Amino acid sequence: MPHDHKPARGFASRIMSLQFAVVGLMILIAAGGAMWATVQRVDEQAQERALAIARTLAADPQLQAEVQKLAAGNELDPIALRTGPVQLAAEAVRNRTGAFFVVVTEDRGIRLSHPNPTLLGQRVSTDPVALSGAEDVSREHGTLGESVRAKVPVFAPGSTGTVVGEVSVGVGGQELAALLRVAALWVLGFGLGALGLSALATRWLVRRLKAQTLGLEPAEMAQLLRDRDAVLYGVLDGVIGIGPDGRVSVRNRAARIMLGLPHRNAAGDIIGLPFTDAQLPTALVSALTEARPRTLRLETEQAALVATIHPVRRDGINLGQVVLLRDVTTIETLGSRLDAVETMASALRAQRHEFANRLHTISGLLHHGDVDEALDYLGEVIESGPVREPVQNLAAIEDTYLRAFLGAKGVQAYERGVVLRVGDASALYGSLLDAQDATAVLGNLIDNALRAAVEGPAPRWVEVDLLSEGSTLHLAVADSGAGVAPGLDVFAEGVSTASVPDAPEHGHGVGLPLVRRLARTRGGEVWIADPGGTSTQEATAHPAGTSSGAVFAARLPGVLSADASTTLRSYER
């Protein structure tokens, strides 16, 4: 179904937005985790570095002796400390290692070295915890700003228990910030690269999806699916879809019922199976294998179908095949009944024509005053009946409708050089209640028998036997033809002997399956009572019409009125 509007945002833009949102969120999470891990790692490295510098300096024997000496004095000269060995050693270490500061104190926390010489001789701004004899690493804010600092005790030379001072080494925030900036640049670079790769992958994916969906948006595909279901399950025709891979992709309820297929939720459902394994009629499978437009007829136990196969292509792409199934059972049944009505109409026209001729004759005799001749002619007409039907033993049939129908068939048979007769064993009581079905079955069997008799040897004849049993009509039609070829199922789908050499007698692939289906609809049956095949010499040697052709029999319940008590008589041919 056509649509007049497009979605506000295309499929590609939605996918791209979603992809960017997901990737962006993942990058933020990853960046946050990476930055946190980087901060922790940089902080640990700074602590280890500061601690290593402090330990190395605190273990210097010369520094230990000088600090012990200064700690023993009462007064410290700040001016002398600026050029003292402690200040020189600490600054040398600071310059060599790149530390933020290296501060040495004596046992009271008075600075003996400092990057700022003006602060020498003053007490440190942070707690000198290492004077207690234990090392300490922490992040503190001192006179030089925020830093990670390590504090290590300075022991007296040769002693491990006498604390004479402290070494405090700090790594400044600027160095940490530089390390963090480098880490952030790496994270940002990886994030942008991931976004770029995501955009390329998303673009490729969108193009591939659009190629597979023929450029349709998801909303359009959903609408197409709803439209498809509305069409498939809103029509009376059967529809079967075959994908380009040869598998059944769709079939509606009408197709399932027409072909007697399993239900969608039942085991053995054909959807998803190759069409060769989908329990489809053999003729339909062969037509689908050819993969070309074609219309064919199918016969099932329940119906006569016409199947139309349409290969489907769009923009040069093979989309598979579609099979449309139409049930023509009702149409063919009505056609068969119409044939019987036309036969009756032909009989009535013949009667009207003969009555008109007889009335003209009587009128002419009276006009000329030949009254006696007119009376004699009228008496002959009364004795002979209204129309002379060329059907032997027609008087055995009491029902006027069947008499007229057989009379019309007799005229057709006479024109083709075939004698139509009613069997001596016929016994029909009551009247027809459903003349249409009865004459449809009988007419088809007689037409088949006439074709067989015309192709058979002389003398050519067709015999009809009619028996009543309550409301059930039993009938048999025999002919003088060559019979049914051995092994030929004339009731099978599409079987026609008309094109078989040396066997043109019975069936055109439509009539016999139709009348059998019509009889079965009423609870009756049509079958071959005798396939025939008797030789011409044997048929000639048996007068009274020994049949060398086939005998078709039928049973039609409910077509007769059961107002008379009747008994089925057996008969022999």
Side-chain angles (χ1 to χ4, degrees):
M1 296 182 181
H3 302 283
D4 298 330
H5 65 278
K6 291 287 184 181
R9 296 183 63 197
F11 177 59
S13 62
R14 293 197 299 272
I15 290 292
M16 292 284 284
S17 300
L18 178 61
Q19 189 78 0
F20 279 139
V22 173
V23 174
L25 179 62
M26 295 300 296
I27 289 175
L28 288 177
I29 295 175
M35 293 300 295
W36 181 85
T38 301
V39 169
Q40 296 298 318
R41 186 177 68 254
V42 169
D43 190 71
E44 289 176 359
Q45 291 177 352
Q47 292 178 7
E48 292 175 358
R49 182 183 174 195
L51 188 60
I53 296 172
R55 285 175 176 172
T56 301
L57 185 59
D60 185 2
Q62 295 180 358
L63 181 70
Q64 292 176 349
E66 190 64 28
V67 171
Q68 183 182 24
K69 174 182 176 183
L70 294 174
N74 294 326
E75 295 291 339
L76 295 177
D77 184 5
I79 302 300
L81 292 176
R82 295 180 183 181
T83 58
V86 177
Q87 172 71 359
L88 295 176
E91 285 299 298
V93 171
R94 183 177 70 83
N95 293 328
R96 186 172 61 251
T97 61
F100 186 48
F101 64 84
V102 176
V103 176
V104 181
T105 69
E106 39 90 84
D107 58 356
R108 293 170 295 179
I110 304 299
R111 297 187 184 98
L112 302 179
S113 70
H114 196 278
N116 185 0
T118 61
L119 299 179
L120 293 176
Q122 299 179 14
R123 184 175 176 80
V124 294
S125 59
T126 59
D127 186 13
V129 294
L131 294 178
S132 63
E135 296 179 347
D136 179 70
V137 179
S138 63
R139 180 182 289 273
E140 295 181 348
H141 186 83
T143 57
L144 296 178
E146 185 78 16
S147 63
V148 174
R149 58 190 64 190
K151 297 178 180 181
V152 176
V154 178
F155 296 98
S159 173
T160 57
T162 303
V163 178
V164 294
E166 173 190 83
V167 175
S168 177
V169 177
V171 177
Q174 295 179 349
E175 185 176 356
L176 294 177
L179 294 174
L180 291 177
R181 280 196 300 270
V182 173
L185 289 176
W186 277 104
V187 171
L188 181 61
F190 279 117
L192 293 177
L195 282 177
L197 291 176
S198 175
L200 294 176
T202 303
R203 191 64 179 172
W204 175 83
L205 177 62
V206 168
R207 288 184 177 179
R208 182 172 179 82
L209 289 177
K210 279 187 171 292
Q212 293 180 344
T213 59
L214 304 179
L216 296 176
E217 298 288 342
E220 293 174 320
M221 289 187 287
Q223 184 61 41
L224 283 177
L225 181 60
R226 289 190 290 267
D227 294 345
R228 187 205 69 171
D229 288 343
V231 171
L232 287 180
Y233 295 95
V235 297
L236 298 180
D237 292 343
V239 180
I240 299 177
I242 309 296
D245 58 352
R247 295 182 178 273
V248 179
S249 57
V250 67
R251 64 111 183 95
N252 64 352
R253 180 174 179 270
R256 176 179 63 83
I257 295 175
M258 289 180 184
L259 298 178
L261 301 174
H263 193 273
R264 182 181 299 275
N265 296 326
D269 183 18
I270 68 172
I271 295 180
L273 295 178
F275 69 85
T276 53
D277 302 332
Q279 308 176 37
L280 301 178
T282 304
L284 181 57
V285 172
S286 300
L288 288 172
T289 303
E290 297 177 4
R292 61 181 178 86
R294 184 178 174 186
T295 299
L296 66 153
R297 177 186 173 83
L298 303 174
E299 291 284 348
T300 67
E301 291 292 334
Q302 298 81 15
L305 308 175
V306 173
T308 304
I309 301 175
H310 298 282
V312 181
R313 300 185 68 86
R314 179 174 177 178
D315 298 332
I317 300 176
N318 178 23
L319 301 182
Q321 303 179 76
V322 174
V323 181
L324 300 179
L325 300 172
R326 295 181 180 88
D327 190 340
V328 295
T329 306
T330 303
I331 297 175
E332 291 185 350
T333 302
L334 291 176
S336 181
R337 291 170 177 173
L338 182 59
D339 290 340
V341 173
E342 290 179 349
T343 301
M344 289 299 302
S346 299
L348 292 174
R349 283 194 298 269
Q351 289 182 351
R352 182 188 64 80
H353 181 71
E354 185 161 344
F355 275 123
N357 290 338
R358 292 175 179 180
L359 289 176
H360 289 158
T361 302
I362 294 173
S363 176
L365 292 174
L366 293 176
H367 180 72
H368 292 89
D370 300 328
V371 177
D372 293 336
E373 288 80 355
L375 291 175
D376 293 339
Y377 182 74
L378 185 58
E380 292 176 3
V381 170
I382 295 174
E383 291 179 0
S384 63
V387 177
R388 295 175 182 174
E389 296 110 340
V391 180
Q392 299 178 8
N393 197 29
L394 186 58
I397 305 302
E398 298 180 359
D399 183 79
T400 55
Y401 194 98
L402 279 178
R403 282 176 62 104
F405 181 77
L406 289 174
K409 287 294 183 184
V411 173
Q412 295 178 357
Y414 180 78
E415 292 174 351
R416 301 177 67 178
V418 179
V419 176
L420 178 63
R421 65 189 180 218
V422 176
D424 295 335
S426 294
L428 182 63
Y429 301 92
S431 58
L432 286 177
L433 293 178
D434 193 340
Q436 291 183 350
D437 284 358
T439 53
V441 175
L442 180 59
N444 268 282
L445 295 182
I446 291 177
D447 290 341
N448 275 341
L450 287 176
R451 282 192 295 269
V454 168
E455 298 293 333
R460 298 176 177 86
W461 52 263
V462 172
E463 181 173 300
V464 178
D465 287 279
L466 300 170
L467 300 174
S468 60
E469 181 187 21
S471 62
T472 300
L473 172 63
H474 297 265
L475 59 92
V477 178
D479 61 71
S480 60
V484 177
L488 180 65
D489 184 4
V490 295
F491 295 103
E493 173 189 340
V495 172
S496 173
T497 60
S499 59
V500 179
D502 302 326
E505 54 277 355
H506 282 284
H508 281 220
V510 177
L512 291 176
L514 174 64
V515 297
R516 168 176 272 187
R517 187 162 47 247
L518 184 60
R520 288 179 173 177
T521 301
R522 305 189 62 91
E525 185 59 275
V526 175
W527 69 97
I528 301 177
D530 185 355
T534 305
S535 65
T536 303
Q537 293 79 5
E538 182 179 355
T540 305
H542 291 80
T546 300
S547 173
S548 62
V551 179
F552 281 78
R555 184 180 72 256
L556 300 175
V559 299
L560 295 175
S561 62
D563 52 355
S565 177
T566 60
T567 303
L568 178 64
R569 304 182 198 173
S570 63
Y571 64 96
E572 296 181 355
R573 287 206 41 82

